[in-house]
Amino acid sequence: MPRTILIVEDEHILREIMKDYLLNEGYEVLEASEGRQALSLFNEHEVELIILDIMLPELDGWSVCKRIRKVSNVPIIMLTARADEDDTLLGFELGADDYVTKPYSPPILLARAKRLLESRYIRDQKNDTLSGGGIRVHLPSRSVTVGGISCILTHTEFEILAYLMTNKGLIITREQLITKIWGYDFVGDDRTINSHIRNLRFKLGEHAKCIVTVVRSGYKFEEQP
């Protein structure tokens, strides 16, 4: 079945360009020109990725992202005309998985969308469950339980946790995390990584102690006594 992508963009020409690229790749496309319409479409359809502009009429992209994150970990790529670092960090803190600044290359945006979609489905079925420190990750369903209680993570938070748990006990550098989670063309810095790790630790609660910061090196997943 074709995967469905929701484009939320108030500029008609940009929306049509993105739509054409996605249709040519075999995706199904839903379109919204403002925030409330986007939420309605999301609630009515099974959406597998959202491309979300920040500057929208009535309900902005920040608000849309925040509301969706309350109920879903669907991958979200945020678009902005501002190259403001604080805006980027706010997007990540609200649960965005990637961030693209306008003007952008449609093929690059398409590549980022593909990467997010593929990482949701390509898993080693021989080892489909990770566990440790009271945390259990089921890779095929992308579900997480912490102390036996379901925990909703964003796409990126899930990928970071799964990567650290897959390499339990090993130090994972920030550069390795960036390459694994975002790819070589990622534009960001340590603050971006810090933001995602902070959000992940908050959701894991007392079990977050398993994610150990190794000063000047990176992070590792280590079960605590």
Side-chain angles (χ1 to χ4, degrees):
M1 292 290 291
R3 298 173 188 172
T4 301
I5 296 177
L6 171 59
I7 302 173
V8 190
E9 167 64 73
D10 63 330
E11 295 185 47
H12 176 74
I13 294 177
L14 291 179
R15 196 169 66 247
E16 286 299 307
I17 291 173
M18 283 190 283
K19 177 183 176 180
D20 288 343
Y21 269 89
L22 293 170
L23 289 175
N24 287 337
E25 291 294 321
Y27 297 108
E28 289 190 354
V29 178
L30 298 173
E31 302 174 71
S33 59
E34 51 90 13
R36 298 191 187 281
Q37 181 187 15
L39 290 174
S40 294
L41 288 172
F42 177 77
N43 290 328
E44 294 167 3
H45 300 270
E46 188 173 340
V47 175
E48 299 194 47
L49 183 137
I50 301 173
I51 297 174
L52 176 62
D53 190 24
I54 290 176
M55 302 303 293
L56 297 170
E58 296 188 32
L59 192 69
D60 63 24
W62 304 126
S63 301
V64 173
C65 181
K66 190 174 182 179
R67 293 189 187 188
I68 288 175
R69 276 294 170 255
K70 290 181 178 179
V71 297
S72 173
N73 65 353
V74 62
I76 297 176
I77 300 176
M78 298 198 82
L79 306 175
T80 181
R82 297 173 55 182
D84 191 306
E85 186 179 69
D86 290 334
D87 274 4
T88 303
L89 290 172
L90 176 58
F92 285 136
E93 288 173 0
L94 290 175
D97 295 290
D98 207 345
Y99 206 100
V100 176
T101 303
K102 297 178 180 178
Y104 55 81
S105 163
I108 293 297
L109 178 58
L110 176 62
R112 292 190 174 193
K114 282 184 174 181
R115 177 185 56 78
L116 285 171
L117 286 168
E118 288 171 0
S119 67
R120 290 174 67 85
Y121 295 97
I122 299 176
R123 290 293 183 185
D124 182 1
Q125 298 300 313
K126 295 180 180 178
N127 183 22
D128 62 5
T129 301
L130 304 171
S131 62
I135 302 169
R136 186 176 178 85
V137 174
H138 186 243
L139 299 174
S141 65
R142 298 182 66 84
S143 60
V144 178
T145 57
V146 180
I149 300 173
S150 178
C151 179
I152 297 178
L153 302 181
T154 68
H155 174 90
T156 299
E157 291 162 0
F158 181 93
E159 291 296 318
I160 291 173
L161 179 60
Y163 188 42
L164 291 175
M165 292 184 72
T166 299
N167 295 279
K168 188 183 300 185
L170 301 179
I171 297 175
I172 303 299
T173 67
R174 295 169 185 270
E175 291 75 18
Q176 286 176 305
L177 274 175
I178 288 173
T179 300
K180 174 66 178 179
I181 308 302
W182 288 280
Y184 290 99
D185 61 345
F186 174 73
V187 178
D189 58 19
D190 286 354
R191 292 176 62 192
T192 299
I193 299 294
N194 294 343
S195 178
H196 284 291
I197 292 290
R198 182 171 61 251
N199 291 344
L200 177 58
R201 282 174 166 159
F202 176 77
K203 292 181 179 180
L204 295 178
E206 63 179 23
H207 299 272
K209 60 187 178 182
C210 290
I211 298 179
V212 179
T213 299
V214 182
V215 180
R216 292 189 294 276
S217 295
Y219 303 94
K220 65 178 177 177
F221 188 93
E222 187 172 77
E223 295 187 56
Q224 302 298 311

